[in-house]
């Protein structure tokens, strides 16, 4: 008897453990969907992290770190709200992807009202010693600090032009980027104040002298007026604490609690990087700063250094390999090795125009699914179709006039080159939309209007499919148990007559594997959309 | 940055395995899920997650290996090793093929007179007791970089130079060795009047001494070959040398060309001022052409070279000044210094194909011959070589080459830290 009693108690206990949590669970809160994260926890002084690009390359190329999807069991993106959107946060701010920016706003980017003042010479405070392009750190008469970078002889206008363009594109996508300016100046604009230290090519620290600057400037290409063109990048606001990794979390930041390889804003960034062919997606091209806003100190995460976007690659036109294979790509290397180079991947046959003017970029061979950064990036590898859709939707919002205007910020002297770059970006954009809008059911702008559910089929809007019919399957949704009770007759976009606090509808276009589930919450006027989920066929992401 | 970069890549692979283990062990998990009904709102849930994390922040850990690499970068150790301590550093590498491993101190300053003056003193000794003493003073960028001028002095003592006998029919089994000892004092100047084109003139005094070779496995040359077979083996002389050269170079990258061409011609007068028997004139010609395709991922590299000498009646070209074929830079399937004669002609062709960003493979063929009479300046009876090679590069510059060449005399494997052409 005692044994039976014990078993009953055990079963009751198990029942409690199983039932009570689900009794406590809730899919939606009253403040869903969250469009902006609450105020972050204020941080103290954080340790500055330095990173080695050699270490980063080898770790990523050979170690492939980060949490990966299991076969048939992908890990959904995190740091998203119930609509699948990324709330404004310290990583990302919804800009052109949510509300169309004007051309003026797109061209302004993170800011265009603080170029280096030219009323007095700029003081050179340091020489740039990282990366492959020459440069200086300067301070202007207003006390603003800038990083100056120059083009190489074989890539005149490429680096400076694309760095400005890249910063504005990524700002429009939603990321934090620096203010970049193109400046043209004479050597007399640079002055080395006494006491400026620098490390020369021998690795020895000594006082910098004016002739050090003059020596570097001697080899720089000049424009038709004999002036030197440079990129001036305004120093970022806040205390610099080093780059972020594309996987893991920053240990001393309490606001960084989502593994980076699972953040939608970082996974989906792969689409933005592919569009702009920004293959240099290494950790060192990111930068965290601690910024104080409204009395709260928090880490802001930036993307920096866009000199390897579009057709440029530091001191020469972009390599034909860039974006198609890793720097160290075993499969491609083995194919070339064993076939004695006879096997020629499609990218070796890609055609480029205006290479001298804008570098190498094309749209014919480009395949968004196959695009690769220089090496393995954990967040990119974890991108799922819904992450890609989130980003592709933003890419498709750019119109050709907008793209053209942003290309114009690169100030390329060849109009034909700039026109070609615009055409290529439009071509790549179309491929992105066509690819990623076919992997999910690309419904957007889902809303309730006039007692019915309204939405846009982005694939049809952009001409990738002909307008199609949809099926609807309505249910009453229990927010606590997450169970569904089908509503008979609910087979159109019209919201069924119901007083249930939550409804849900599954929308499909004939493909059961790709559907959109929309959750509606009752309010005083009827219902509003509180949640969106997208399903897609399983894909082995390991 | 070439050798250091390559070494860092290869020898860093093993430690990175350990670094990866360290990285994976230290990756923090996501904040754990909590029963959601504890919260009234999503905002409260998010705030609680942050506060919970703040209470249990793990300590910041850095990879030891990354710290070491950062130290190397921040302390500029690679640059310091390249430029040495105040210009003083070890010089490492073979002197000529067969000299063995060579090392010695070098003092070099390229920052004198505001960068206008480059001064170097080098001393090297090899495991086979080869010696080199050299000093050079260069003005590389006079007249806005259009003019260059240099003064140099050199003493060499190479005790085991190879000699197989004269002409294309010398026997592989006829290997001998001799000591070559010379002093050379030279001046040269040149100008680059327009892009891609360089002219130059030079003069030098060459003092030569030849003696018995010290390698016991091979007979000493003077015991195996008569003065008729090895002209100058019995008596050596001093020479005044004057030369003019022109170089037209449109290669895209001299250290790793994928397109363009190079044409080079050098005419030298050698005046025997001592014995007056070895005076001769020499013309060196070289043409290179690079044909890229498939977006420069494949390159056909072609080279043709010829060295021709003329002498007056009663004169001869000393064997130690004769054109030579055989070795890592010409006929790669033959031993170094395999063929000596008054003239040579050489062709190299390579099909280079990219494996990945840092490595190209090459399939090559070499053909050439030495000959006595100008009537033999043709394509007949060329010695042939075929082979395969690897070219490791850093940012397009070839930093190391591994070639295997095959000929009817066997095969040779070459590891060099320069490109062939």
């Amino acid at each position: 008897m005692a044994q039976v009693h014990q078993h009953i108690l055990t079963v009751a206990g198990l029942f409690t453990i199983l039932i009570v949590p689900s009794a406590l669970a809730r899919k939606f809160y009253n403040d869903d969907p969250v469009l902006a994260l609450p105020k972050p926890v204020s941080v103290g002084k954080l340790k500055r992290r330095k990173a080695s690009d050699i270490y980063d390359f080898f770790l990523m190329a050979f170690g492939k770190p980060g949490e990966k999807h299991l076969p048939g069991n992908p890990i959904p993106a995190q740091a998203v709200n119930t609509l699948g959107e990324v709330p404004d946060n310290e990583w990302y701010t919804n800009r052109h992807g949510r509300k169309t920016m004007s051309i003026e706003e797109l061209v302004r980017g993170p800011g265009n009202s603080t170029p280096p003042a030219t009323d007095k010479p700029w003081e050179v405070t340091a020489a740039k010693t990282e990366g492959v392009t020459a440069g200086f750190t300067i301070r202007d008469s207003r006390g603003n600090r800038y990083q100056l970078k120059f083009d190489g002889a074989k890539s005149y206008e490429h680096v400076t032009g694309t760095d400005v363009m890249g910063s504005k594109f990524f700002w429009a996508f939603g990321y934090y980027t620096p203010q970049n300016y193109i400046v043209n100046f004479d050597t007399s604009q640079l002055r080395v104040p006494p006491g400026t230290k620098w490390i020369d090519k021998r690795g020895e620290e000594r006082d910098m002298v004016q002739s050090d600057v003059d020596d570097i400037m001697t080899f720089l290409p000049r424009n038709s007026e004999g002036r030197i063109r440079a990129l001036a990048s305004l120093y970022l606001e806040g205390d610099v604490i080093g780059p972020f990794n594309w996987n893991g979390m920053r240990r001393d930041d309490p606001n960084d609690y989502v593994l980076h390889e699972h953040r939608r804003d970082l996974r989906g960034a792969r689409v933005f990087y592919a569009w702009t062919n920004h293959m240099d997606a290494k950790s060192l091209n990111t930068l965290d700063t601690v910024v104080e806003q409204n009395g709260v100190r928090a880490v802001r995460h930036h993307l920096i250094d866009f000199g390897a976007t579009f057709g440029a690659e530091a001191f020469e036109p972009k390599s034909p390999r860039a974006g198609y294979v890793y720097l160290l790509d075993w499969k491609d290397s083995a194919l070339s090795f064993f076939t004695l180079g006879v096997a020629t991947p499609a990218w070796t046959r890609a055609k480029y125009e205006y290479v001298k003017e804008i570098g190498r970029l094309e749209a014919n061979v480009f395949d968004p699914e196959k695009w690769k950064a220089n090496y393995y990036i954990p967040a990119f590898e974890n991108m799922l179709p819904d992450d890609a859709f989130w980003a592709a939707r933003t890419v498709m919002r750019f119109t050709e006039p907008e793209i053209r205007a942003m290309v114009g910020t690169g100030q390329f002297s060849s109009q034909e080159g700039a026109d070609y770059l615009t055409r290529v970006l439009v071509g790549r954009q179309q491929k992105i939309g066509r690819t990623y809008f076919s992997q999910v059911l690309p419904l957007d702008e889902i809303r309730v209007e006039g007692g019915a559910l309204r939405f846009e089929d982005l694939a049809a809007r952009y001409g990738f499919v002909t307008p199609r019919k949809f099926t609807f399957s309505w249910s009453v949704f229990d927010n606590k148990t997450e169970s569904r009770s089908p509503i008979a007759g609910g087979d159109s976009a019209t919201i069924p007559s119901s007083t249930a606090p939550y409804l849900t509808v599954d929308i499909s276009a004939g493909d059961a594997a790709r559907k959109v589930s929309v959750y509606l919450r009752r309010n005083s006027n009827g219902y509003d959309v509180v949640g969106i989920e997208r399903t897609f066929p399983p894909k082995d992401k390991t | 940055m070439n050798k250091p970069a390559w070494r860092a890549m290869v020898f860093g692979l093993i430690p990175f395995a350990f670094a990866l283990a360290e990285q994976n062990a230290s990756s923090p998990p996501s904040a754990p899920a909590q029963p959601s009904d504890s919260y009234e709102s999503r905002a409260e849930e998010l705030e609680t997650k942050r506060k919970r994390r703040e209470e249990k922040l793990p300590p910041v850990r850095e990879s030891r290996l990354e710290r070491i690499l950062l130290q190397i970068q921040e302390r500029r150790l690679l640059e310091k090793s390249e430029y040495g301590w105040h210009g003083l550093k070890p010089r490492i590498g073979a002197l000529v093929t067969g000299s063995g491993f060579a090392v010695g101190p070098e003092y070099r300053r390229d920052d004198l007179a505001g960068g206008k003056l480059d001064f170097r003193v080098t001393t090297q000794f090899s495991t086979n007791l080869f010696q080199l003493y050299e000093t050079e003073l260069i003005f590389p960028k006079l007249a806005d970089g259009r003019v260059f001028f240099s003064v140099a002095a050199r003493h060499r003592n190479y005790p085991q130079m190879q000699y197989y006998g004269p002409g294309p029919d010398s026997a592989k089994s006829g290997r001998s060795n001799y000591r070559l000892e010379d002093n050379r004092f030279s001046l040269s100047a040149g100008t680059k009047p327009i892009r891609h084109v360089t002219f130059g003139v030079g003069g030098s005094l060459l003092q030569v001494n030849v003696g018995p070779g010290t390698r016991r496995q091979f007979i000493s040359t003077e015991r195996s070959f008569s003065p008729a077979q090895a002209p100058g083996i019995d008596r050596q002389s001093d020479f005044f040398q004057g030369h003019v050269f022109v170089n037209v170079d449109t290669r895209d990258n001299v250290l790793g060309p994928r397109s363009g061409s190079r044409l080079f011609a050098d005419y030298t007068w050698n005046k025997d001022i001592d014995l007056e028997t070895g005076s001769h004139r020499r013309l060196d010609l070289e043409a290179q052409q690079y044909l890229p395709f498939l977006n420069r991922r494949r390159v056909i590299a072609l080279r043709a070279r010829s060295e021709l000498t003329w002498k007056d009646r009663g004169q001869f070209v000393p064997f130690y000044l004769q054109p030579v074929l055989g070795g890592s830079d010409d006929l790669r399937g033959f031993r170094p210094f395999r063929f000596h004669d008054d003239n040579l002609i050489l062709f190299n062709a390579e099909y280079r194909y990219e494996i990945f960003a840092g490595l190209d493979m090459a399939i090559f063929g070499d053909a050439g011959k030495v000959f006595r009479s100008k009537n033999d300046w043709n394509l007949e009876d060329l010695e042939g070589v075929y082979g395969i090679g690897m070219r490791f590069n850093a940012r397009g510059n070839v930093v190391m080459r591994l070639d295997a060449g095959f000929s009817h005399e066997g095969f040779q494997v070459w590891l060099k830290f320069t490109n062939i052409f």
Side-chain angles (χ1 to χ4, degrees), chain A residues 39-44 290-298:
Chain A
K39 203 166 62 169
V41 172
S42 194
V43 301
V290 177
V291 176
E292 181 164 338
Q293 262 189 328
N294 302 321
V296 175
R297 283 168 53 86

Side-chain angles (χ1 to χ4, degrees), chain A residues 59-197:
Chain A
L59 184 64
M60 293 298 148
F62 295 98
K64 294 187 167 58
E67 187 177 49
K68 301 170 183 59
H69 302 297
L70 295 174
N73 192 17
I75 301 170
Q78 295 165 38
V80 291
N81 65 15
T82 53
L83 299 177
E85 303 293 336
V86 175
D88 292 347
N89 61 63
E90 300 83 26
W91 295 83
Y92 184 87
T93 303
N94 288 278
R95 297 191 182 104
H96 200 54
R98 179 175 290 169
K99 181 172 175 297
T100 304
M101 293 167 72
S102 66
I103 285 187
E104 288 72 25
E105 289 171 324
L106 290 169
V107 166
R108 183 170 63 241
N112 63 356
S113 58
T114 324
T118 53
D119 56 332
K120 292 180 183 168
W122 302 327
E123 289 188 344
V124 178
T125 60
K128 180 173 170 289
T129 54
E130 284 130 11
V132 296
T133 49
F136 303 108
T137 303
I138 61 165
R139 181 182 290 114
D140 72 357
S141 60
R142 293 188 288 236
N144 291 325
R145 286 192 304 160
Y146 301 82
Q147 189 70 47
L148 277 191
K149 276 200 298 189
F150 304 99
D151 297 305
K154 293 182 188 174
S155 60
Y156 185 60
E157 293 185 350
H158 298 187
V159 171
T160 52
T162 57
D163 215 320
V164 169
M165 283 171 54
S167 66
K168 294 184 192 288
F169 269 92
F170 277 84
W171 173 263
F173 296 152
Y175 300 95
Y176 289 101
T177 63
Q179 292 185 38
N180 286 342
Y181 300 91
I182 289 177
V183 293
N184 291 280
F185 61 94
D186 298 314
T187 49
S188 59
Q189 186 64 48
L190 290 175
R191 186 181 75 87
V192 179
T196 302
K197 300 284 183 191

